[in-house]
Amino acid sequence: MAALSGFWAKSGKYPPRTGNLTRILIDGDESFRLIAEDIEKAHNFIYITGAFINLDFRPRPHTHPGETLRSLLLAKTKAGVRVHIHFWNPHDKLLGHELLKDTVTRCDDDERLAGVNSGPQSISARWDDAPGGMLGCHHQKTFVMDGTVAWVGGINSVQNYWDTSRHDILDR
């Protein structure tokens, strides 16, 4: 798909600037392949927000079968890149929601996630326990690398949401 030229932003308090690129991607295979490539290119920081994130999510399951979001991010922390994730914490609000059963969104004191909040060279994470339940939550899905690349989208980082243009239920 061709890049959009900013046709909707012609004037205003923050006028359009040259050098920006917007692409609309639909399916997880292309979106997460490109996100993973941008994670690999990061040198300074990676900031992620997510409504539903599984650190064992496989962003490129067909070309990098053993790779997970956790392994990608931990490789970057070991290279000195700061990695920060803000999770929404819906655990007690969405019991029984089948599509989200593989979501890793809780880290109680007695249940630590490997490689998370365990000192230098680990992923720094924070869980949002906003009051008001579903009405107070954030629903962002963003990846920002080095302040120069940002992904803003609608696909949760869980395997059940990963998809190809074929939409084959077994293609995960």
Side-chain angles (χ1 to χ4, degrees), residues 38-50:
D38 285 337
I39 287 172
E40 290 173 327
K41 294 175 192 172
H43 295 289
N44 299 307
F45 66 83
I46 299 168
Y47 297 155
I48 301 171
T49 61

Side-chain angles (χ1 to χ4, degrees), residues 39 53-55 57 59 67-73 143 157:
I39 287 172
I53 299 172
N54 184 331
L55 292 175
F57 167 67
E67 173 187 85
T68 64
L69 182 58
R70 180 192 323 259
S71 67
L72 271 170
L73 296 175
F143 292 80
S157 299

Side-chain angles (χ1 to χ4, degrees), residues 48-53 85-94 100 103-106 126-140 156:
I48 301 171
T49 61
F52 303 105
I53 299 172
I85 301 177
H86 187 164
F87 291 95
W88 176 42
N89 194 1
H91 235 245
D92 53 347
K93 299 167 187 73
L94 291 175
L100 303 175
T103 304
V104 176
T105 57
R106 191 166 199 96
R126 180 179 179 148
W127 282 260
D128 180 8
D129 278 322
M134 302 269 300
L135 298 176
C137 78
H138 71 276
H139 195 65
Q140 297 91 339
N156 291 309

Side-chain angles (χ1 to χ4, degrees), residues 9-151:
K10 297 294 183 196
S11 65
K13 191 171 184 176
Y14 302 101
R17 294 181 276 299
T18 61
N20 295 310
L21 173 69
T22 301
R23 290 180 55 196
I24 297 175
L25 302 173
I26 305 295
D27 302 309
D29 60 344
E30 183 178 15
S31 301
F32 284 111
R33 176 182 57 81
L34 294 170
I35 290 170
E37 289 173 6
D38 285 337
I39 287 172
E40 290 173 327
K41 294 175 192 172
H43 295 289
N44 299 307
F45 66 83
I46 299 168
Y47 297 155
I48 301 171
T49 61
F52 303 105
I53 299 172
N54 184 331
L55 292 175
D56 295 322
F57 167 67
R58 299 177 325 274
R60 304 181 281 194
H62 299 289
T63 59
H64 298 73
E67 173 187 85
T68 64
L69 182 58
R70 180 192 323 259
S71 67
L72 271 170
L73 296 175
L74 286 175
K76 296 313 293 187
T77 64
K78 287 180 184 10
V81 175
R82 291 172 292 138
V83 176
H84 301 276
I85 301 177
H86 187 164
F87 291 95
W88 176 42
N89 194 1
H91 235 245
D92 53 347
K93 299 167 187 73
L94 291 175
L95 292 175
H97 194 301
E98 290 297 319
L99 289 176
L100 303 175
K101 284 212 175 195
D102 67 344
T103 304
V104 176
T105 57
R106 191 166 199 96
C107 188
D108 296 326
D109 288 273
D110 58 346
E111 181 187 346
R112 290 283 170 214
L113 297 174
V116 177
N117 292 341
S118 56
Q121 297 187 332
S122 72
I123 298 165
S124 174
R126 180 179 179 148
W127 282 260
D128 180 8
D129 278 322
M134 302 269 300
L135 298 176
C137 78
H138 71 276
H139 195 65
Q140 297 91 339
K141 297 155 187 90
T142 63
F143 292 80
V144 178
M145 282 65 94
D146 294 338
T148 58
V149 175
W151 288 89

